[in-house]
Amino acid sequence: MADKFDVIVIGAGPGGYVAAIRAAQLGLKTACVEKWVNKEGKTVHGGTCLNVGCIPSKALLETSHKFAEARDHFAEIGIDAGEPTPNIAKMLEFKDGVIAKNVGGISALFKANGVTALEGTGKVVSSKQVEVTGHDGETASYEAENIVIASGSVPVEIPPTPLTEGLIVDSSGALKFDEVPKRLGVIGAGVIGLELGSVWSRLGSDVTVLEAMDSFLPMVDKDVAKEAQKLFKKQGLDIKLGARVTGSEVKDKEVVVKYTDANGEQEQTFDKLIVCVGRRPYTEGVLSDDVGVKLDERGSVFVDDECRTSVPGVYAIGDVVRGPMLAHKASEEGMMVADIIAGHKAEMNYDAIPSVIYTAPEVAWVGMNEQDAKEAGIEVKTGSFPFSANGRALANNAPEGMAKIIADAETDRVLGLHIISQHAGELIAQGVIAMEFGSSAEDLALTCYAHPSTSEAVHEAALAVDGHAIHMANRKKRK
């Protein structure tokens, strides 16, 4: 039997590595198990997010956005830069460099905080024991007073479109194209599909997005979703709703996709196809059959509000449990669990988790949208403000979008904030903080915002809740 730990974390993604660092900071002897290896065969930390998800996709989103801005908008603001040319190899090199810096940072943080990094595949074999199978096949057992499962998720594959190397790919494969596909198909108009579709559309692909649902971004407020759909269409994304993919065939390095829509059976040919229909919890090989940890009907590890599983001393966090599959949600759960293990009081507000689509403009939201509030029987009042009336947005040559606040009609408490704009992912933090502290729309309306700043749009939306917006005509007047 090897060393005994206070805490062993399985998985070094944004949930696992944060839980491990926090636990070590609180004086607990902590180890973190990770099986991910890079192309050089070296163990790397950060999970999907840092290696093939959040971080590399944002690197390509940023570089492709800068290219499109130079091509389409520099002349508008007086910069004559000629016709820019995308260097895909250099963009991928930049993306890989960003990944390396982030991964190296986590390894350094483990050392600085005294976290023991275990290399290999971790498996919970009892409530107090973890078995680690190294990359060489050797197995070692470790005792732990507490175990945290943070094994994450993997892309969902669907039978009609089996992955085919270089042609039909998942979100990871879409980050590796070494040239711009002329015709690109994307299955799924969710966060990942829209982001990846945007990257390659900006670089020159004709992008068609096939979405099985009849509504666009149903989790976003209907007014913001409508604006987003209009802007994405203007940018060249052909988004087909109610398009259910029924099959695919690879022919001469092309992909023929069959789908049905309101007009019947359809067929379309692409040079590349990206499958982005969601992710599923990853639990394969993580739990012994007799350990007693229960899974729910979706295959997620069943946990309570404090991420305790059905087995005392065993916790689970992040994508492998209920709730949105978001890196920051996983990180916050990791810190909460570490605090609880260390004997501190901790909880997480699941009503105030922000979501962001990093397109251009970005779409961000937190809390309830108007349609969900009404379906829940809550009488609401709303305030909206367009960025076309915001001085800083105009100066940035980014006037698209709007900010919308949903407030309880009786108490004025902020129930949600939805934004589509440049840097919406940064602006949404105002709504998160407001909801965390139980703020009213009036609280935001009485707050002094810097001028000129795009954040003033949120201020004006708060004022508009009661018909008091200053920089636009109000639909209603209130005393």
Side-chain angles (χ1 to χ4, degrees):
M1 185 68 67
D3 291 343
K4 182 175 181 179
F5 294 90
D6 296 315
V7 182
I8 293 180
V9 182
I10 298 177
Y17 84 74
V18 169
I21 290 172
R22 181 73 154 201
Q25 289 174 344
L26 295 171
L28 300 171
K29 186 178 180 181
T30 305
C32 187
V33 188
E34 179 54 62
K35 71 173 186 176
W36 197 304
V37 294
N38 59 17
K39 56 187 177 183
E40 287 81 30
K42 180 181 177 182
T43 298
V44 292
H45 302 119
T48 294
C49 179
L50 265 65
N51 290 281
V52 294
C54 322
I55 299 302
S57 65
K58 300 314 164 285
L60 289 183
L61 280 160
E62 185 66 17
T63 53
S64 64
H65 174 60
K66 281 179 164 46
F67 165 76
E69 198 170 29
R71 180 191 61 200
D72 302 331
H73 300 295
F74 270 15
E76 297 173 2
I77 59 175
I79 300 175
D80 187 3
E83 186 69 24
T85 303
N87 185 331
I88 304 302
K90 193 69 176 178
M91 289 182 178
L92 295 179
E93 182 183 328
F94 170 74
K95 176 207 71 173
D96 291 341
V98 171
I99 294 171
K101 290 175 184 176
N102 278 276
V103 168
I106 295 175
S107 299
L109 288 170
F110 273 6
K111 290 180 181 178
N113 288 281
V115 176
T116 299
L118 302 176
E119 299 183 1
T121 302
K123 184 176 185 178
V124 182
V125 294
S126 77
S127 63
K128 303 291 183 184
Q129 188 177 357
V130 172
E131 181 181 271
V132 178
T133 302
H135 305 313
D136 58 1
E138 293 294 319
T139 299
S141 294
Y142 300 86
E143 286 189 28
E145 285 299 312
N146 300 276
I147 299 169
V148 181
I149 302 168
S151 49
S153 63
V154 293
V156 170
E157 297 182 29
I158 55 176
T161 55
L163 301 186
T164 305
E165 181 68 29
L167 290 173
I168 304 177
V169 302
D170 58 17
S171 56
S172 300
L175 299 172
K176 300 176 183 177
F177 293 158
D178 55 9
E179 62 181 5
V180 179
K182 185 176 186 336
R183 300 161 301 175
L184 175 65
V186 179
I187 301 178
V191 175
I192 299 173
L194 291 172
E195 289 184 353
L196 293 174
S198 293
V199 166
W200 296 107
S201 174
R202 293 169 190 162
L203 296 174
S205 292
D206 292 326
V207 178
T208 301
V209 182
L210 303 174
E211 171 54 54
M213 297 183 68
D214 295 320
S215 58
F216 182 67
L217 295 179
M219 61 286 203
V220 180
D221 187 87
K222 63 182 188 304
D223 293 331
V224 172
K226 182 179 179 181
E227 180 73 3
Q229 187 174 8
K230 181 185 75 175
L231 290 172
F232 295 154
K233 182 178 180 180
K234 183 179 178 182
Q235 292 172 7
L237 292 183
D238 182 10
I239 301 172
K240 298 182 183 296
L241 300 177
R244 291 168 172 78
V245 175
T246 58
S248 64
E249 185 179 358
V250 175
K251 292 182 178 179
D252 300 324
K253 295 186 178 181
E254 295 179 335
V255 182
V256 180
V257 176
K258 296 180 180 180
Y259 64 94
T260 60
D261 61 14
N263 297 315
E265 295 184 0
Q266 309 292 338
E267 186 175 289
Q268 195 161 346
T269 301
F270 303 105
D271 298 299
K272 304 280 186 183
L273 181 67
I274 307 173
V275 181
C276 301
V277 294
R279 300 181 65 85
R280 62 176 178 83
Y282 182 79
T283 55
E284 286 85 344
V286 177
L287 298 162
S288 291
D289 294 336
D290 58 352
V291 77
V293 172
K294 295 180 181 178
L295 306 182
D296 67 17
E297 64 279 1
R298 294 178 59 251
S300 301
V301 177
F302 180 80
V303 293
D304 63 13
D305 290 342
E306 294 179 331
C307 291
R308 293 182 176 88
T309 71
S310 51
V311 176
V314 180
Y315 299 78
I317 61 174
D319 287 5
V320 80
V321 304
R322 78 286 179 269
M325 291 184 173
L326 298 169
H328 44 281
K329 175 256 195 185
S331 295
E332 291 301 317
E333 287 179 331
M335 289 196 285
M336 174 182 70
V337 165
D339 284 351
I340 290 172
I341 291 172
H344 302 300
K345 292 182 179 179
E347 63 179 5
M348 182 170 172
N349 183 358
Y350 285 95
D351 293 329
I353 300 174
S355 297
V356 185
I357 307 175
Y358 292 91
T359 45
E362 295 176 354
V363 183
W365 65 96
V366 63
M368 304 183 81
N369 57 43
E370 185 177 358
Q371 55 267 33
D372 287 343
K374 289 181 177 179
E375 287 178 9
I378 303 172
E379 186 179 351
V380 299
K381 51 183 179 177
T382 67
S384 301
F385 189 80
F387 280 85
S388 59
N390 176 269
R392 182 61 190 276
L394 291 171
N396 290 352
N397 197 32
E400 299 90 358
M402 61 183 289
K404 180 175 180 179
I405 289 177
I406 297 94
D408 188 298
E410 182 179 354
T411 66
D412 197 43
R413 185 169 182 169
V414 175
L415 300 177
L417 172 62
H418 294 248
I419 306 173
I420 176 169
S421 75
Q422 180 188 58
H423 306 316
E426 310 297 333
L427 299 177
I428 200 64
Q430 298 176 62
V432 177
I433 294 170
M435 291 182 62
E436 187 66 33
F437 285 92
S439 299
S440 64
E442 184 183 35
D443 288 329
L444 292 176
L446 292 173
T447 300
C448 183
Y449 283 67
H451 175 78
S453 68
T454 54
S455 65
E456 289 178 287
V458 177
H459 185 215
E460 290 278 0
L463 287 163
V465 167
D466 285 320
H468 294 156
I470 301 299
H471 292 93
M472 73 171 188
N474 292 282
R475 294 184 179 179
K476 58 188 176 182
K477 286 189 176 180
R478 292 177 180 263
K479 295 182 179 179

